[in-house]
Each structure stands twice: as structure tokens, then as C-alpha cells.
């Protein structure tokens, strides 16, 4: 009987690393009825989590204060989630826990890890008989507590061991929980990285929409709050548009005057996943200009002092901060501008998602991962930062045609791009006239314009390459590779 009682007392799963994300995910798991053991090197974090578990409904959560007790408190085959800082801390945590684990046990890394580190750890774990998952977790602290989007990749057996838990803990949408087995190796981390790249693009595009409405349209924060709230009831309905509406409504409590958004330093931080996305796009020869423009914009935002100096220098030379080359000198039609910006934002966002999906497709081909792009769109419909109503339509586009070359050429999206292109061009044109930088919207429009043209000026680039480097070129009217003695023929032509 004693053995049965002990088995009863064992936790179903363990979680190590109790910063905000770890604490919230542990409480979410416990709240869904799965007894959980938690551990953290700093013991005060364990106490803090135990206290929250009591306060938030006497949840079935037990705290452990050393790696051995922690591992032994979990029922076999053991599954342990770790949520610590990417890189060396993950290796240290794995080493501390693996010492007490047995063949058949599973380690799940829930951090934003570089996918190749996960692939190395899969090999190391497997040499000890351990299973391993690299699991992207999106949704921030709120998502972790109430339902995140989960992207587990690695051992399928490990996934099956905790599938019941993950499906309960993940955000729930009408077509199921926002979790699926992503694929082999580091695919879960890679998909989360691309999700974050799309997120960079999305946030940049929204900030440009704000900039144009504020500086070309003269809209106040309260008008902006109303516009974004209204947009969030239509085709742009998404987490990022929703929180943007909220942001414009928040007053500055420190000074008691005006809105807080105007007092925030215009200098963006970043953790690195956006940079990895752009690097991977370059490695795979995939154009991702919207995501790259958002990364460049974050770098440029970091040059605050240089930008202030530059504004002074150009002003001295007679350039106003907001230029107006509007030939008619006419004022902007606010109502039309608002509708144009809505359409430009929507079309630009499609480009950002299309670039992310193409990156996943290229990596799938390179690595032989079994990624289902429609399913990726589905699990991003809830819980995560890029959740948006139009992800359901992205899912359907890939269901209609799993081999879709680009999201933009799906019949539905192609129609929408064509319908919105006039408004999109007006917004980008107006911004350029007014000297308002719109790198994300411009990059998206250039992406669309390049992709939709059956002939590009790349013929001239090929001629140049052949001229100075004998790189050869192909012809449109006959097969084969050709090289021309350009300088010799050009001299002859001049005579």
C-alpha cells in the first residue's frame, strides 16, 4: 500500500526555471489539473511560486529545493520543462538535472533557443537515453498563464508523453488547441524564431501606420485609440492592433498630463530572434524585406543621439523635420487617409506573413522536416503575439494548396492585394512626400511589385556580371550559357 501512496504523491510533470514565464506556465499546468513539481536555483523563487499556487486556487503544485529531489518527485517516464535563459544556462540546467534522470525521461526546453543548439542537445540527451524537445512558447507572461501557443519539435515520443498536458495548457481556438507536433530536430525553435520575425515586421508596420496618421493626418492619441479599436473589429483584428488601441488611451501618471506613449524614448530593444530570422533568410536565399526593414529600423532607432544631431544639421541646411512636397499644398483628407492606411497596413502584413511562410518552406526542404504550413498558421490563431483573425484564412490557403508558391498568389489574397494596391501606393507616396520613413510598408510594396512582374531589370545585372567577371548569362530565346566580349564589341560599336 505504501508504494501506491508514494506513486500517488508523485507529480505528473516538472518545471525548472521560475522567472515570470516559468512561474506562469507552471501555474497554468497546475490549474488544468496536472500535479506539478517546480524547482529554481534561487530558492526564494520556489517559495514565491508556492505562495502564488495557494493564492490562485490551492493549485496542485509542489516546490523542490535541489535537482535530485526535484527529479525524483516526478512520475516516470519523467518529463521536465526548463525555462531559463538561452545558451549556457540551458546546458548547466540540463547537466544538473540529467545526473538524476533515467533512460526514457524527457527534457523540454521552452526558451527562445537557437535551433542548432537544440539539435546538439538532442544528440547529447540521446547518448544518455533521454528524449528531448525544443518547444517555442509564445504569448508573453499572460499567454503562459492563461494559454500560450506552443511549438514543440524534436522527439515525437517525448511529445506523445505530454501531449495531453500541452493540449489542455495551450490557448484554445474553434479548431483545436494552439499546439501541434512541429517536426524533427530543432524545428520547434525554428518555427518560433520565424514567428518572432513576423512579429518584428508586424510591429514595425503598425508603428508606421501610427506615424503616418499622426504626422501626415494630424490625428490625436484619442482619435488613434478609436481608429485602432475600430480596425480591431474588422479584417485587422489581432492581438497587436488590440493592444495598440489600449496604449493610446493610457495617461501619463508620473506627470499627470498627456498620454504615456508620447513620453517614451524612441529607442527599440531586441533579444535577437529577429536578427536570426533575417540571417536565416539570407542563408536560404529567401527574400524577407519586410522583416529585414523592421530589424534595420530597430538598429536606426538605437542611434537616438546621432539622429538628434542629424536633425539639427539638416535643419540648419534648410530642411524641416516634416517635409511637404505636396504640389497642391492641399491638406490631407483625414477620412480617406485613415481608410488608405488601413488597407496599406493589411496588404503589408500579408507580405510579412508570406515571407515568414516562405522561410519555413525553404527550411523544410533543406532539413527534410515535415512542417505543415497550414497547421503553423492554425496554432498561431490563439495565445501568441502574432495571433490574428486572418491566420484562419492563411490556414485555409495552405489547405487549398499545400504547395502554394507564395501566400500572395492564393486566389483570395491575390484579389485583396489588387483591391488594396491603390490605397497602399497613396500611403507610401504621401509618406515619401512628407519625409516620413515607412521602411516596412515600402519594403512590402516593393516585394509585391517585384514578385508580380514577369520581367525584371536583372537582365542588365547579368550583362554587367558577364562584362566584368565573365560570369555568363542565359538567353530568353535559346538554351545554354553565353559569354560576350562586351568591351571589344562596345569599342567596335563606338567606331
Amino acid at each position: 500500500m505504501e508504494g501506491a501512496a508514494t506513486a500517488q504523491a508523485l507529480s505528473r510533470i516538472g518545471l525548472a526555471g521560475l522567472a515570470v514565464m516559468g512561474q506562469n506556465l507552471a501555474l497554468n499546468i497546475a490549474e488544468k489539473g496536472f500535479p506539478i513539481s517546480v524547482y529554481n536555483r534561487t530558492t526564494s523563487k520556489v517559495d514565491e511560486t508556492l505562495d502564488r499556487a495557494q493564492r490562485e486556487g490551492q493549485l496542485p503544485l509542489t516546490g523542490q529545493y535541489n535537482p535530485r529531489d526535484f527529479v525524483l518527485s516526478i512520475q516516470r517516464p519523467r518529463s521536465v520543462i526548463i525555462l531559463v535563459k538561452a545558451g549556457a544556462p540551458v546546458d548547466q540546467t540540463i547537466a544538473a538535472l540529467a545526473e538524476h534522470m533515467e533512460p526514457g525521461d524527457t527534457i523540454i526546453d521552452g526558451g527562445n533557443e537557437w535551433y542548432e543548439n537544440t539539435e546538439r542537445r538532442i544528440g547529447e540527451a540521446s547518448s544518455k537515453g533521454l528524449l528531448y524537445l525544443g518547444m517555442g512558447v509564445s504569448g508573453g507572461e499572460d499567454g503562459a498563464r492563461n494559454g500560450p501557443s506552443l511549438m514543440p519539435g524534436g522527439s515525437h515520443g517525448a511529445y506523445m508523453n505530454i501531449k495531453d498536458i500541452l493540449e489542455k495548457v495551450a490557448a484554445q481556438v474553434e479548431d483545436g488547441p494552439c499546439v501541434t507536433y512541429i517536426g524533427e530536430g530543432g524545428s520547434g525553435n525554428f518555427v518560433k524564431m520565424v514567428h518572432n520575425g513576423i512579429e518584428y515586421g508586424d510591429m514595425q508596420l503598425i508603428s508606421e501606420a501610427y506615424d503616418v496618421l499622426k504626422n501626415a493626418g494630424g490625428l490625436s492619441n484619442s482619435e488613434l485609440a478609436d481608429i485602432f479599436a475600430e480596425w480591431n473589429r474588422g479584417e485587422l483584428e489581432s492581438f497587436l492592433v488590440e493592444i495598440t488601441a489600449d496604449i493610446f488611451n493610457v495617461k501619463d501618471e508620473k506627470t499627470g498630463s498627456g498620454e504615456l506613449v508620447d513620453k517614451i524614448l524612441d529607442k527599440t530593444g531586441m533579444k535577437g530572434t529577429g536578427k536570426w530570422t533575417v540571417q536565416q533568410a539570407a542563408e536560404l536565399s529567401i527574400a524577407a524585406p519586410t522583416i529585414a526593414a523592421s530589424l534595420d529600423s530597430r538598429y536606426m532607432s538605437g542611434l537616438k543621439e546621432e539622429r538628434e544631431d542629424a536633425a539639427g544639421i539638416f535643419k540648419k541646411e534648410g530642411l524641416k523635420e516634416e517635409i511637404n512636397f505636396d504640389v497642391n499644398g492641399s491638406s490631407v483628407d483625414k477620412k480617406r487617409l485613415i481608410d488608405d492606411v488601413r488597407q496599406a497596413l493589411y496588404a503589408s502584413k500579408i507580405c510579412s506573413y508570406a515571407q515568414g511562410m516562405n522561410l519555413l518552406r525553404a527550411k523544410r526542404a533543406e532539413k527534410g522536416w515535415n512542417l505543415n504550413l497550414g497547421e503553423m498558421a492554425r496554432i498561431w490563431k490563439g495565445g501568441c503575439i502574432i495571433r490574428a483573425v486572418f491566420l484562419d484564412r492563411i490556414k485555409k490557403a495552405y489547405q487549398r494548396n499545400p504547395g502554394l508558391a507564395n501566400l500572395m498568389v492564393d486566389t483570395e489574397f491575390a484579389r485583396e492585394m489588387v483591391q488594396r494596391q491603390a490605397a497602399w501606393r497613396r500611403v507610401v507616396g504621401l509618406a515619401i512626400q512628407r519625409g516620413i520613413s515607412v521602411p516596412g510598408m515600402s519594403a512590402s510594396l516593393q516585394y509585391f511589385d517585384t514578385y508580380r512582374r514577369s520581367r525584371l531589370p536583372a537582365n542588365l545585372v547579368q550583362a554587367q556580371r558577364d562584362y566584368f567577371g565573365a560570369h555568363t548569362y542565359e538567353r530568353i530565346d535559346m538554351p545554354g550559357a553565353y559569354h560576350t566580349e562586351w568591351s571589344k564589341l562596345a569599342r567596335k560599336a563606338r567606331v
Side-chain angles (χ1 to χ4, degrees), residues 227-275:
I227 287 160
F228 276 89
E230 189 187 325
W231 285 356
N232 196 49
R233 291 191 285 273
E235 63 188 11
L236 285 170
E237 185 191 320
S238 62
F239 173 68
L240 286 169
V241 169
E242 179 189 332
I243 67 168
T244 302
D246 284 349
I247 287 166
F248 291 122
N249 274 323
V250 173
K251 302 283 179 233
D252 178 21
E253 290 182 341
K254 293 247 187 292
T255 63
S257 73
E259 285 80 27
L260 179 57
V261 70
D262 294 326
K263 311 284 168 57
I264 296 173
L265 183 69
D266 52 322
K267 207 171 168 180
T268 314
M270 66 194 104
K271 292 279 178 66
T273 43
K275 182 172 86 173

Side-chain angles (χ1 to χ4, degrees), residues 202 205 235-236 290 339-355 390 393 406-408 413-425 427-428 440-449:
D202 229 343
L205 292 168
E235 63 188 11
L236 285 170
T290 311
D339 195 57
D340 279 356
V341 171
R342 174 185 61 78
Q343 295 186 59
L345 178 56
Y346 183 82
S348 298
K349 276 163 72 89
I350 292 173
C351 293
S352 188
Y353 283 75
Q355 291 158 32
F390 85 158
R393 302 194 24 247
N406 189 301
L407 197 53
M408 294 189 294
F413 285 118
R415 187 181 310 124
E416 291 183 338
M417 301 294 271
V418 171
Q419 286 166 351
R420 283 156 184 74
Q421 58 141 2
W424 196 5
R425 292 181 201 286
V427 171
V428 171
M441 283 188 183
S442 305
S444 291
L445 183 55
Q446 298 308 327
Y447 181 71
F448 169 68
D449 276 340

